[in-house]
């Protein structure tokens, strides 16, 4: 199935939408300090453990700068998941759903 890249500003259109999981792939401490509202924190190293729960949802992946989410998107896309990865990661995001500690 592959995957799609999206600019960070496009995250806002997915927040709170049914059928969408926004997934933050960073470590738990990084997530606690700053994340997108409604995002699930699944560190990259734990992703395989959770993928059985994704179902047919659209997955929006982000990390710090976009490199790790790109690798994860390729992996999940090759397995048939509908995946979008955020170019530039959370560092590029300037939207209204940024939550900080």
């Amino acid at each position: 199935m592959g995957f799609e890249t999206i600019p960070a500003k496009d995250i806002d259109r997915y927040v709170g939408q049914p059928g969408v999981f926004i997934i933050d792939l960073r470590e738990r401490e990084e997530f606690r300090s700053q994340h997108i509202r409604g995002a699930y924190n699944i560190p990259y190293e734990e992703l395989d453990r959770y993928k059985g729960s994704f179902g047919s949802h659209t997955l929006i992946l982000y990390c710090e700068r976009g490199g790790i989410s790109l690798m994860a998107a390729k992996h999940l896309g090759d397995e048939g998941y509908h995946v979008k990865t955020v170019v530039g990661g959370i560092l590029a995001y300037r939207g209204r759903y940024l939550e900080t500690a």
Side-chain angles (χ1 to χ4, degrees), residues 26 46 50 57 66 85:
R26 300 173 303 147
E46 299 175 24
Y50 290 93
H57 286 79
T85 182

Side-chain angles (χ1 to χ4, degrees), residues 11-74:
I11 293 175
D12 286 357
R13 76 171 62 153
Y14 296 102
V15 172
Q17 293 297 312
V20 174
F21 285 158
I22 299 175
I23 301 172
D24 185 319
L25 297 167
R26 300 173 303 147
E27 296 300 319
R28 303 218 187 281
E29 298 86 34
E30 295 170 301
F31 178 81
R32 279 192 290 273
S33 70
Q34 180 180 33
H35 61 272
I36 307 298
R37 182 182 310 151
Y40 296 94
N41 182 218
I42 304 175
Y44 177 73
E45 295 79 22
E46 299 175 24
L47 193 59
D48 282 341
R49 185 176 352 157
Y50 290 93
K51 65 184 177 184
S53 62
F54 299 153
S56 62
H57 286 79
T58 296
L59 309 176
I60 309 296
L61 307 179
Y62 73 90
C63 59
E64 185 79 10
R65 291 187 168 95
I68 293 196
S69 63
L70 187 65
M71 288 188 312
K74 181 178 179 348

